[in-house]
Amino acid sequence: MSLLQATRQRFLCRHGMLNQCHKRMTLKTSCKNLSNSSRYKWEKKANCRQENNVPESSTSPNHKIPDNNTIQSSAVSSQDTEPLTLFMKNSQKVVSLQNYTNKPTSFTLFFPKTKEVVSVDFKGRHVVDNQDTDVVGETPALQSIDELMWQKQGWTFKQLPSYYMKLSKIRLTGLVVITAMAGYMVAPGPFDLQMFTLVTMATGLLSCAANSINQFLEVPFDSQMNRTKNRVLVKGQLTPMHAMGFAMVTATLGGSILYTGVNTLTCGLGLLNLYLYTMAYTPMKRSSIANTWVGSLVGAIPPMMGWAACTGSLEPGAWLLGAILFCWQFPHFNALSWNLRGDYSRGGYCMSSVTHPAMCKRVALRHCLYLVGLCSMAPVLDVTTWTFAVDALPVNLYLTYLGWNFYSKGDSSSSRKLFRFSLVHLPVILLFMLITKKTHSSGLIADDHSDHTTDQTDIVKHKILH
């Protein structure tokens, strides 16, 4: 049997045009993403057994199988009466498959030169076998050639809040604000609702500014990554000048609120954090793996800002909170970056998960162990009672267990579990610290009593003199 006949039979077998076919799928090949040119790794072996002969004339000569992997869009059919079409990228031609519109469940193309097989379903979606790959889900195909053309972008006032939220990385900003709130509430000073509100708003505004500048600086690199290719600046939904204007307004408002409404120490910490994130961490992402340590320092400052807003100084408890947030960043981010190594590599970012994978796993496990010791230091430094050390121990031990699995296995499953639990670990630890913090009420009563005694002494002296 010739190669062309075998190819045709495999093609017809996928469409149910052979009476009986036995298929086993275990294949390994690499093909282009039909919509964004990213590469997936598949595994498949096809073994088709024909029991009834099919005349060669049943295969139309007009439906030739492409001889190279130049396909750009998968099969598209919105109605049963519409023909199946393929858009060929190199030749810029559209091939119509009119005889194959009888609702096939899937569609397969075989490329003899590269030995590659591309499988799509009838609705025009690229089917990805994700059993042995980190890529999960389906990639929608292009519905028309017009999607490849440049289109003028714009915005309306109704869309603007949504764009600003994306520009600010609202979920990351929310996490930063929560840590600042926790720092204020764990601090031993009295709770002032106005001060608490001001430091919360200002921290959020500074975080919005930092994330906006970060996206402004990384547009050329974000466009190369699947994870960031839909950001508002990459898609042109906002202009770079608009984004920088938003960043300047939020940074000015945040800094002014901290300086006038809180205190200079908190304002200095906030501006330092803005500088570190935009001028140190962002450029270092493309030059050195030390960017992760700088980024962890950025994440450690917000709870210290909350503490400084409450007490006006940085006691040992503030540094302990900062150290806990610093160490938490490593299992959190290293596990996240492990499944994004392909994206970071395409974007040209220098991450330890890409350049030093063994060190990436080792550092994550090491800082899991550091968290056990740091949480045990909280009652020693008179920040919490010993109940916190007892409550936090099982949570930290389970995080360490997941960190050990990530270190020993280094697969997508273990990294994903570590990352997901890190999202639970941090709020649980902060909640335990808040519940078990020491109130220092006795010291306040003693101070009030001494002030009252001093006042009484002054009154007696005044009476004697007069």
Side-chain angles (χ1 to χ4, degrees):
M1 183 182 294
S2 65
L3 177 61
L4 179 59
Q5 291 176 338
T7 303
R8 284 177 176 174
Q9 288 182 2
R10 185 175 300 176
F11 184 82
L12 296 175
C13 177
R14 288 292 292 177
H15 282 273
M17 300 182 68
L18 296 180
N19 291 338
Q20 295 185 9
C21 179
H22 179 66
K23 298 182 284 288
R24 276 199 312 259
M25 307 218 153
T26 55
L27 103 101
K28 177 131 184 137
T29 185
S30 177
C31 71
K32 284 190 176 181
N33 185 316
L34 301 182
S35 58
N36 53 36
S37 299
S38 64
R39 293 183 178 272
Y40 297 133
K41 292 184 178 180
W42 295 354
E43 293 193 0
K44 179 177 184 184
K45 289 180 183 176
N47 180 19
C48 297
R49 183 172 65 247
Q50 176 183 4
E51 297 191 1
N52 294 327
N53 294 328
V54 177
E56 186 174 348
S57 60
S58 63
T59 306
S60 173
N62 295 330
H63 307 141
K64 296 181 180 180
I65 297 175
D67 59 351
N68 55 51
N69 54 351
T70 59
I71 188 168
Q72 174 68 21
S73 174
S74 39
V76 177
S77 176
S78 59
Q79 298 180 0
D80 297 343
T81 58
E82 293 183 0
L84 215 59
T85 59
L86 297 173
F87 174 63
M88 312 304 294
K89 181 180 177 182
N90 288 356
S91 61
Q92 299 292 311
K93 293 181 180 179
V94 177
V95 180
S96 177
L97 307 178
Q98 298 180 358
N99 293 345
Y100 300 114
T101 58
N102 54 348
K103 290 186 177 180
T105 58
S106 60
F107 188 83
T108 299
L109 292 177
F110 174 70
F111 302 100
K113 288 187 177 181
T114 60
K115 306 297 184 182
E116 294 180 356
V117 179
V118 177
S119 298
V120 297
D121 66 11
F122 190 69
K123 295 181 180 179
R125 289 186 178 271
H126 187 175
V127 180
V128 179
D129 182 8
N130 53 27
Q131 293 180 355
D132 295 319
T133 180
D134 293 336
V135 181
V136 180
E138 297 178 346
T139 302
L142 296 174
Q143 300 300 317
S144 67
I145 302 177
D146 294 337
E147 295 186 28
L148 299 175
M149 306 302 291
W150 180 86
Q151 297 179 3
K152 184 178 180 180
Q153 300 289 341
W155 55 268
T156 62
F157 286 103
K158 186 177 181 180
Q159 296 171 322
L160 209 53
S162 174
Y163 290 164
Y164 283 159
M165 291 174 66
K166 294 178 181 178
L167 190 63
S168 304
K169 301 181 185 177
I170 195 63
R171 289 184 295 181
L172 178 60
T173 296
L175 181 62
V176 170
V177 170
I178 288 174
T179 58
M181 295 167 60
Y184 187 95
M185 298 179 72
V186 172
F191 182 83
D192 185 342
L193 181 59
Q194 180 181 354
M195 187 76 68
F196 177 76
T197 304
L198 289 177
V199 72
T200 300
M201 290 176 54
T203 303
L205 288 170
L206 289 175
S207 178
C208 290
N211 291 323
S212 301
I213 298 173
N214 170 266
Q215 291 193 45
F216 169 80
L217 296 174
E218 293 184 343
V219 170
F221 318 116
D222 287 345
S223 62
Q224 304 175 47
M225 300 172 58
N226 290 332
R227 178 170 172 257
T228 56
K229 66 182 180 182
N230 291 322
R231 287 180 173 174
V232 291
L233 292 181
V234 176
K235 298 179 69 174
Q237 294 168 333
L238 293 177
T239 63
M241 186 64 69
H242 191 147
M244 286 302 296
F246 173 77
M248 292 300 103
V249 170
T250 52
T252 303
L253 284 176
S256 300
I257 290 173
L258 290 178
Y259 183 77
T260 59
V262 186
N263 55 57
T264 54
L265 175 60
T266 308
C267 179
L269 289 173
L271 295 179
L272 173 63
N273 217 23
L274 176 64
Y275 174 82
L276 287 175
Y277 190 79
T278 57
M279 298 293 106
Y281 169 70
T282 299
M284 287 180 66
K285 288 169 67 176
R286 299 185 56 79
S287 60
S288 172
I289 61 173
N291 70 82
T292 306
W293 279 259
V294 177
S296 298
L297 180 61
V298 171
I301 291 179
M304 300 177 68
M305 292 173 59
W307 186 292
C310 182
T311 64
S313 60
L314 294 176
E315 289 89 1
W319 295 100
L320 176 65
L321 267 176
I324 290 175
L325 264 293
F326 179 84
C327 292
W328 175 85
Q329 304 282 336
F330 289 94
H332 172 76
F333 180 75
N334 287 13
L336 171 66
S337 64
W338 190 261
N339 287 338
L340 299 174
R341 286 171 292 172
D343 254 6
Y344 283 126
S345 180
R346 277 190 296 271
Y349 291 113
C350 190
M351 299 296 174
S352 60
S353 60
V354 178
T355 59
H356 301 76
M359 187 182 73
C360 174
K361 298 183 292 182
R362 188 168 59 249
V363 168
L365 176 60
R366 182 186 306 149
H367 285 83
C368 288
L369 294 171
Y370 289 165
L371 285 170
V372 178
L374 287 172
C375 290
S376 301
M377 289 293 295
V380 177
L381 295 177
D382 210 27
V383 178
T384 66
T385 63
W386 282 99
T387 306
F388 169 73
V390 176
D391 292 341
L393 184 60
V395 181
N396 288 324
L397 289 180
Y398 186 67
L399 182 73
T400 305
Y401 166 74
L402 294 178
W404 170 257
N405 283 344
F406 174 55
Y407 172 75
S408 58
K409 297 179 181 178
D411 56 4
S412 60
S413 177
S414 60
S415 63
R416 194 176 296 114
K417 289 179 180 178
L418 177 60
F419 168 73
R420 289 174 178 171
F421 184 74
S422 69
L423 296 175
V424 178
H425 174 272
L426 181 62
V428 169
I429 292 297
L430 294 178
L431 181 61
F432 284 169
M433 291 191 77
L434 179 61
I435 294 174
T436 60
K437 79 164 189 174
K438 288 190 176 181
T439 58
H440 301 279
S441 57
S442 60
L444 295 176
I445 294 174
D447 292 339
D448 293 340
H449 178 70
S450 62
D451 293 339
H452 178 71
T453 303
T454 303
D455 294 339
Q456 293 293 332
T457 304
D458 293 338
I459 293 173
V460 172
K461 288 181 179 180
H462 180 75
K463 289 181 176 181
I464 293 174
L465 291 175
H466 294 82

